[in-house]
Amino acid sequence: MRWTRAVVPASALLIMIAGCGAGPSDRPHIAVERPPVPGDSTTSAQVPPPPAAEVPKKELSWRDCTKETFDQAGLGPGPAGLVLECADFSTPIDSAGSVLGNFRAAAVRARTPQTPPDAAPVVLTSGVDRSSSATLAGLATGPASALLTAHPVVAVDRRGIGGSQPIDCLPTDIRAGLQDNAQFGAGGDPVTAMSDLSRNGTIACRDFLQPYDGTFDAAHAADDIEQLRREWNVDHLAVLATGNGALVGMEYARKYGDRLARLVLDSPAPVGVDTVTRTETAVQGAEAALTAFAQQCAGISCSLGPDPRAAVTALVQKAADGQLGDISANAVRTAVTGFLGSPRADQTSRIGELSDALSAAGRGDTAALKAIADRQKSATASDGQFVNGCTDLPQTPPGPQVTDLTGIWAQKYPAFGRSTALSMMVCSAWPVTEAPPALEKLELPVLVLTGIGDPVTGMAQASVTGALGAAGARTSTMTWQGWGHPVSSHSGCAQTALVDYLKDGRLPGDGTACPA
């Protein structure tokens, strides 16, 4: 049913201990940057363990949806033995009762034959980066498997995203224009054109959603996770929040901290920062991921030639000049960053697949690149993501500032800077909602994972650990030396630490690093 009006260089970070200097990312041991310090808050034996998450006393009505979920995510068949199950549950549109009615939320559960039947589930939210169910499918197909071997993982899609009750509010031309940064409009100033598209899109979606248009923020997404806890009839949950989902995880901690057994913030988006800072952090991560890809691409003599980074930058410029047909510069950015973020069991073949698509486009054959771009648009640019993402976003910078940044970032971040700056105008007309209260108190150790080449959020853990520390929470940050998003979908080393934390609430030493 649809909505209706009625309802860092790696060497600077990594000091390896013996036995962890090389090898694949799924090695069982981790590299420790510094030895534990007596009395360190992350290692102190005097701190009592937090309560454990519990097995649901009442289950949802699950049905097998393995094939359809992998097909929707464009991942092909899943690993042998993996089972994905889908279920719906009803959640109040507003738990405070200011707006009456219920919303259909969707959940997907992943298990393998090795998953213990009596293990408590881990609740996954990836916010608006892509559907949580797609993030779960990616985690299940990635090279690491420790988490699913130890626990079932249940992804909860945000309102209007993935399997949850969909939103269809943007006119087709406005949706396309926002996705392409107004490149194929009538001409003129792209910042002004994007402002007009944002205004018209905002009017269309807010009119469609009235009186529910204010119920799509991270706080309401946290309420949906709380409703799942109530459906399960358990006292405590373990939450894995990735990327933009960290906003949801932090809101759940603020509103329902006494119900949290564990909290993992994986590749978190920044908190408490302005839109320019958040966006620049993301483009820095995207450029770092592209550099890492280019180095490996050159190492296997890929089809992009001896300087793959320059080849990608030149292709983005070709798209901006209209030389790739209906593929815009922003579509190339979306395709490349989405592909670089996604997990890969066979990295060499994945590098070859992307390089072949990009090099073919440079020669005039855009079919493979268009397929990747369309898949990434479908995953990251739904109407639900527009509504939820704009609701969570702080004030968009004024048009003249964005105009200045398009030039500055084009020089500073040559591959993706200009299109990333323009994309800030997507939400320029959406009303800015009042920022939620700060997290005041959290008596829980929190594990934070981050990667040095994250094309989605960049390295944003400092703002997150600062907010957690201000609330009294003990934190430990683990840094993965690879590229991709999120860390738990790529690094077996990080997954091993995650599973250990889920077991007894003990954090690894702060500053721990995992090899790529």
Side-chain angles (χ1 to χ4, degrees):
M1 180 176 64
R2 295 183 178 272
W3 274 91
T4 67
R5 292 180 183 267
V7 288
V8 175
S11 59
L13 292 172
L14 187 60
I15 301 176
M16 309 296 288
I17 63 172
C20 286
S25 63
D26 59 351
R27 293 182 60 170
H29 301 290
I30 54 179
V32 179
E33 191 171 345
R34 60 172 175 79
V37 177
D40 191 320
S41 64
T42 64
T43 59
S44 175
Q46 285 72 40
V47 178
E54 297 117 17
V55 178
K57 298 181 178 69
K58 179 183 177 183
E59 271 296 2
L60 304 179
S61 298
W62 298 104
R63 62 175 181 82
D64 188 281
C65 59
T66 308
K67 184 178 185 304
E68 67 185 77
T69 302
F70 279 106
D71 286 348
Q72 289 169 0
L75 294 171
L82 176 74
V83 176
L84 299 181
E85 299 163 294
C86 293
D88 297 332
F89 62 95
S90 180
T91 184
I93 290 176
D94 182 62
S95 62
S98 60
V99 180
L100 301 179
N102 293 303
F103 178 83
R104 179 177 60 77
V108 178
R109 179 173 67 181
R111 297 184 296 174
T112 70
Q114 292 76 38
T115 307
D118 58 348
V122 177
V123 177
L124 168 67
T125 175
S126 56
V128 301
D129 294 325
R130 59 185 59 229
S131 69
S132 300
S133 52
T135 299
L136 177 57
L139 183 150
T141 58
S145 60
L147 179 55
L148 283 174
T149 299
H151 294 270
V153 179
V154 176
V156 180
D157 285 332
R158 271 189 79 159
R159 302 180 174 193
I161 300 176
S164 290
Q165 192 169 323
I167 299 172
D168 185 4
C169 61
L170 287 173
T172 302
D173 59 331
I174 293 176
R175 184 185 301 115
L178 291 172
Q179 292 171 355
D180 291 326
N181 281 347
Q183 180 173 326
F184 303 117
D189 176 27
V191 171
T192 300
M194 284 292 287
S195 178
D196 291 341
L197 287 168
S198 178
R199 181 180 63 254
N200 293 332
T202 296
I203 292 171
C205 286
R206 295 194 72 206
D207 282 352
F208 177 78
L209 293 169
Q210 288 285 359
Y212 313 124
D213 55 310
T215 63
F216 291 89
D217 57 3
H220 283 84
D223 292 340
D224 294 344
I225 292 177
E226 171 64 6
Q227 181 61 30
L228 176 62
R229 184 195 66 78
R230 295 175 181 177
E231 293 283 332
W232 279 344
N233 192 22
V234 297
D235 292 328
H236 300 94
L237 293 178
V239 174
L240 168 60
T242 70
N244 173 271
L247 303 179
V248 182
M250 295 281 282
E251 278 299 287
Y252 192 85
R254 180 181 70 84
K255 300 183 74 173
Y256 308 106
D258 60 336
R259 298 302 186 182
L260 265 176
R262 307 286 186 272
L263 178 61
V264 180
L265 302 179
D266 183 350
S267 312
V271 298
V273 300
D274 59 79
T275 297
V276 173
T277 300
R278 177 187 294 193
T279 307
E280 187 167 17
T281 301
V283 75
Q284 288 170 346
E287 296 274 338
L290 178 60
T291 296
F293 161 80
Q295 291 170 346
Q296 296 190 19
C297 197
I300 63 171
S301 300
C302 71
S303 57
L304 285 171
D307 191 347
R309 200 185 199 291
V312 173
T313 302
L315 188 66
V316 173
Q317 187 59 52
K318 275 190 172 184
D321 293 339
Q323 298 178 31
L324 297 185
D326 61 353
I327 300 178
S328 67
N330 198 51
V332 177
R333 176 180 74 95
T334 301
V336 174
T337 56
F339 200 100
L340 293 180
S342 61
R344 53 213 169 263
D346 183 352
Q347 182 162 297
T348 299
S349 66
R350 293 277 292 172
I351 291 171
E353 181 184 350
L354 180 57
S355 64
D356 289 349
L358 294 171
S359 59
R363 298 189 304 269
D365 180 3
T366 61
L369 177 58
K370 182 171 175 53
I372 295 173
D374 288 346
R375 188 160 62 240
Q376 294 303 327
K377 280 184 180 180
S378 176
T380 61
S382 70
D383 293 4
Q385 283 155 318
F386 171 72
V387 171
N388 285 278
C390 290
T391 302
D392 282 340
L393 203 64
Q395 178 71 54
T396 299
Q401 184 180 357
V402 174
T403 298
D404 291 342
L405 287 172
T406 59
I408 295 169
W409 286 5
Q411 297 298 317
K412 195 174 181 180
Y413 311 111
F416 306 129
R418 185 178 187 277
S419 58
T420 302
L422 280 173
S423 71
M424 285 191 288
M425 295 300 297
V426 167
C427 297
S428 58
W430 196 272
V432 178
T433 57
E434 183 178 352
L439 177 64
E440 293 185 353
K441 185 177 181 181
L442 183 63
E443 296 179 352
L444 184 75
V446 181
L447 177 61
V448 180
L449 305 177
T450 188
I452 65 171
D454 189 318
V456 178
T457 57
M459 295 188 72
Q461 72 280 2
S463 65
V464 172
T465 55
L468 290 167
R474 294 175 292 126
T475 65
S476 177
T477 298
M478 171 175 281
T479 302
W480 174 52
Q481 303 295 325
W483 47 276
H485 176 91
V487 171
S488 58
S489 294
H490 297 267
S491 171
C493 165
Q495 276 205 21
T496 299
L498 193 162
V499 170
D500 290 344
Y501 165 71
L502 291 172
K503 182 178 181 180
D504 57 15
R506 292 185 180 274
L507 294 170
D510 189 29
T512 299
C514 279

